[in-house]
Amino acid sequence: MWLSKSSIGRKVVMSVTGIALILFLTFHVLMNAVAIFSPEAYNKICGILGANWYAVAATLGLAALFVIHIIYAFWLTLQNKKARGNDAYEVTARPKSVEWASQNMLALGVVIACFTVLHLYQFWGRMMLAELFPCLELESVAVCPMTGAEHTIAASDGWGQIMHQFGGPLGWVVLVIYLIGFGALWFHMTHGFWSAFQTLGTSNDTWLPRLKSTACAWATAVALLFAVEAVIFTIKAHCPDCAGKPTPAYELKIMEKACHNMPAPEGICPEARPCHHGEGACAEGHKCQKGEGACAKGGDCCKGE
């Protein structure tokens, strides 16, 4: 078959799959942006894109594009090395006309592939895959820091998954790994975008410079927005809430779900609201319950010891 037997055909496959993946990344980064402004709207999107037939079909299609893109990348690299033979090691300096990314596309692709595996494990595996195969027990489990109760984050709760992954003990390490992945993605997209269109026939002196400029702008916008989103998610997952309490925002989100309507131990308010107006005093909107310093919903502050 021409698409697999000839060098040009393989490059065409690489180009088409690469453009399709770039379009998906553009959709993905715009979808993530919704979470910054409205976690509720983001969760609705996650619900629509949950474990239903069209979402599963789209996932399988994307997986096929990704695998084909990687296979053909290795195939073309081995073909090029074989064609150069012993001459491959005679010149080590990079010509000025050759971009750094073009000489390191395979290495950049490997970094992106490793980053993708981590991303799939953190989110796709704990969302769609967890819904499809509940027997695998892949759900994210958080512990309520106030009561010690375990809480399973729903597979459709995309915002809860984000706060859990970026807000854990290794949240800042996860951020650094993501930023490295986005940097590799920028280099890969910048060269791959215009190179794909060049392979498909748009390589004249008029359009090639335009495509290079478009590729740089598009790749920068996508990678930069991904990076900004990751930073915002990490900050939101770790910073104190507006009341100044030391509990991280992601723990508050988890506690509101995990501790709601649970029996409150002495000194701890229902719905994970600790007594914080002085020792043993209840949070705003709560009153004394059983035992000194325990709170109940509605009422005034109680007296401490």
Side-chain angles (χ1 to χ4, degrees):
M1 186 177 178
W2 173 71
L3 291 176
S4 60
K5 291 183 178 180
S6 71
S7 176
I8 297 298
R10 294 168 195 153
K11 289 182 179 180
V12 168
V13 172
M14 280 284 294
S15 300
V16 173
T17 55
I19 292 172
L21 290 171
I22 289 174
L23 292 175
F24 166 72
L25 287 172
T26 304
F27 163 77
H28 192 20
V29 75
L30 293 176
M31 174 182 165
N32 287 356
V34 175
I36 296 177
F37 302 100
S38 176
E40 294 78 11
Y42 179 75
N43 277 354
K44 287 183 180 180
I45 296 175
C46 291
I48 295 173
L49 300 177
N52 45 64
W53 70 268
Y54 51 85
V56 173
T59 300
L60 293 175
L62 284 168
L65 289 172
F66 190 71
V67 171
I68 291 171
H69 194 76
I70 292 175
I71 291 174
Y72 272 71
F74 278 100
W75 197 351
L76 285 170
T77 301
L78 293 174
Q79 180 187 17
N80 292 337
K81 286 187 176 182
K82 184 178 179 180
R84 288 196 300 266
N86 295 329
D87 295 337
Y89 301 98
E90 290 184 1
V91 179
T92 57
R94 175 171 60 89
K96 293 182 179 180
S97 59
V98 178
E99 297 178 352
W100 178 85
S102 68
Q103 288 192 322
N104 296 276
M105 288 295 281
L106 183 61
L108 291 169
V110 171
V111 173
I112 294 170
C114 294
F115 164 70
T116 303
V117 171
L118 171 65
H119 184 62
L120 291 176
Y121 168 76
Q122 287 184 308
F123 292 97
W124 180 81
R126 296 168 186 271
M127 296 177 73
M128 181 179 287
L129 193 61
E131 275 193 279
L132 291 173
F133 303 100
C135 59
L136 297 178
E137 299 182 354
L138 297 171
E139 301 92 344
S140 296
V141 177
V143 178
C144 174
M146 301 303 299
T147 65
E150 290 188 351
H151 166 62
T152 299
I153 301 176
S156 59
D157 186 5
W159 177 250
Q161 299 287 353
I162 290 175
M163 293 294 99
H164 182 66
Q165 296 298 337
F166 284 96
L170 298 177
W172 294 103
V173 176
V174 171
L175 174 62
V176 172
I177 294 174
Y178 269 61
L179 293 179
I180 293 173
F182 296 145
L185 183 65
W186 181 83
F187 280 109
H188 199 78
M189 286 179 58
T190 301
H191 175 76
F193 187 103
W194 69 262
S195 179
F197 282 98
Q198 184 184 41
T199 299
L200 296 175
T202 309
S203 58
N204 58 60
D205 294 337
T206 301
W207 278 101
L208 192 58
R210 294 176 182 177
L211 285 172
K212 287 186 176 182
S213 299
T214 303
C216 184
W218 196 320
T220 300
V222 171
L224 184 60
L225 185 53
F226 267 130
V228 169
E229 289 167 352
V231 171
I232 291 176
F233 293 152
T234 305
I235 292 175
K236 283 191 173 185
H238 286 87
C239 69
D241 66 350
C242 57
K245 295 189 290 293
T247 309
Y250 87 96
E251 289 184 341
L252 289 176
K253 294 290 182 184
I254 293 171
M255 284 192 295
E256 287 175 1
K257 297 174 182 178
C259 309
H260 187 64
N261 293 329
M262 290 184 61
E266 288 189 350
I268 296 180
C269 302
E271 300 180 11
R273 292 183 174 87
C275 302
H276 64 275
H277 291 306
E279 185 178 350
C282 292
E284 184 178 355
H286 293 74
K287 65 181 180 181
C288 278
Q289 198 172 247
K290 297 178 181 179
E292 290 187 358
C295 307
K297 190 172 182 180
D300 301 321
C301 288
C302 59
K303 297 178 181 180
E305 294 182 359

